[in-house]
Amino acid sequence: MFWRKKDRRRPAEGTTDRHALVPIPLTGGVLSGQVRDGQGGALPACEVSVFDAADRRVAHLETDPFGRYAASLMPGRYRVRVEAGGYRPRTEVVEVSWGSHVEMGVLVLGEDPALRPPASGVFLIDSDHSSVRFVARHIGLSKVYGRFNRFHGQIRIAEPFDESAVDVVIDAASVDTNVEARDTHLRSPDFLDVEQFPELRFSSVRFVQRGGNRWTVDGDLTLHGLTSDVSLDTTFLGSAEWNGDRVGAVATTQLHREHFTLNWQQMIAKGLPVVGSTIEIELDVQAVRQA
């Protein structure tokens, strides 16, 4: 009976205790904690880096949907750095010993003022310092990279920020993959059909904050004569003064060619398509405030 009580009080090495998120290793310990914002909300997808005494990164992970993280470590002294877009990073020093679970508790990240949304106004996209790029798979082996060289648009920043709007117009004939024969084919009726559909248009319908400086911009994309809803995973990069008041952001999304009847396809041996059906879109935008 005495042995059983002792066993209940102390779990066997290599098992998970009732607090740890991962098993305690036989040769080390476990470090865990939770990240929250200044309002007490959990911060998911925060970057957590653990550095040893020699300043080598020995663990690199993200917080889960509840803002929690955990890592198995060898005994020693560590520096833990937590970062999230839109928030000031935070660094703590901890000691991990053999067979132990070190609970760091709640780490609160304060807002980074430099990444707050800009004041309301209209910003014109600076095409000389912006890009609209795409990536497609070729026969399932490699990626083909391309871009559109001519586009224009504006960003209207509103108060509150989630009522802001974006409108972009892209010249379809400006498609450029650095291979003239391929670009000619992309402009043909097999793909963009630029004679009949000379423009691609995107107009936002809502801004949704995901935390810090990360937003989802939902909108309608008109391509090849059809309109389909698109969600842009957007990161606001901040503001700067250079030939005017400027803001920057990057955004990504995926398009399925079939949604816009871009159905041309050839198959090679083993049924592999020449061009993949999913196209990755990457936007890098800089815009200038208008007087």
Side-chain angles (χ1 to χ4, degrees), residues 9-12 14-24 30 32 99-102:
R9 289 198 308 267
R10 180 175 180 177
T15 64
T16 302
D17 69 15
R18 64 190 180 91
H19 299 293
L21 299 178
V22 298
I24 298 177
V30 166
S32 68
S100 69
H101 169 213
V102 179

Side-chain angles (χ1 to χ4, degrees), residues 250-287:
V250 293
T252 60
T253 191
Q254 288 188 340
L255 303 181
H256 298 281
R257 295 194 293 119
E258 295 80 1
H259 292 176
F260 302 94
T261 66
L262 300 177
N263 297 322
W264 180 90
Q265 192 57 276
Q266 281 185 340
M267 307 299 287
I268 62 173
K270 300 181 182 179
L272 286 173
V274 172
V275 182
S277 62
T278 300
I279 310 298
E280 299 175 13
I281 307 296
E282 302 173 352
L283 309 176
D284 201 326
V285 176
Q286 190 176 134

Side-chain angles (χ1 to χ4, degrees), residues 1 5 25 40 54 68 76 86 121 193 251 279-280:
M1 182 64 69
K5 288 183 178 178
R68 295 199 62 85
D193 195 1
I279 310 298
E280 299 175 13

Side-chain angles (χ1 to χ4, degrees), residues 17 19-21 29-36 47-51 59 61 63 67-73 76-83 89-97 100-109:
D17 69 15
H19 299 293
L21 299 178
V30 166
L31 170 73
S32 68
Q34 186 181 37
V35 185
R36 292 183 175 273
E47 181 181 2
V48 181
S49 300
V50 182
F51 300 90
L61 54 149
T63 56
R68 295 199 62 85
Y69 61 91
S72 299
L73 300 167
R77 189 176 180 85
Y78 295 96
R79 179 169 58 88
V80 181
R81 181 177 175 86
V82 181
E83 301 172 271
R90 179 168 174 177
T91 301
E92 299 286 339
V93 176
V94 297
E95 188 85 28
V96 176
S97 57
S100 69
H101 169 213
V102 179
E103 171 59 65
M104 296 184 66
V106 175
L107 299 179
V108 178
L109 298 187

Side-chain angles (χ1 to χ4, degrees), residues 211-212 215:
W215 294 75

Side-chain angles (χ1 to χ4, degrees), residues 84-142:
Y87 298 90
R88 293 193 182 97
R90 179 168 174 177
T91 301
E92 299 286 339
V93 176
V94 297
E95 188 85 28
V96 176
S97 57
W98 177 83
S100 69
H101 169 213
V102 179
E103 171 59 65
M104 296 184 66
V106 175
L107 299 179
V108 178
L109 298 187
E111 181 187 7
D112 185 348
L115 293 177
R116 289 175 183 164
S120 59
V122 175
F123 293 76
L124 289 187
I125 294 176
D126 179 0
S127 58
D128 290 339
H129 297 94
S130 302
S131 62
V132 178
R133 303 183 299 272
F134 60 88
V135 184
R137 278 285 178 186
H138 182 254
I139 64 172
L141 295 179
S142 63

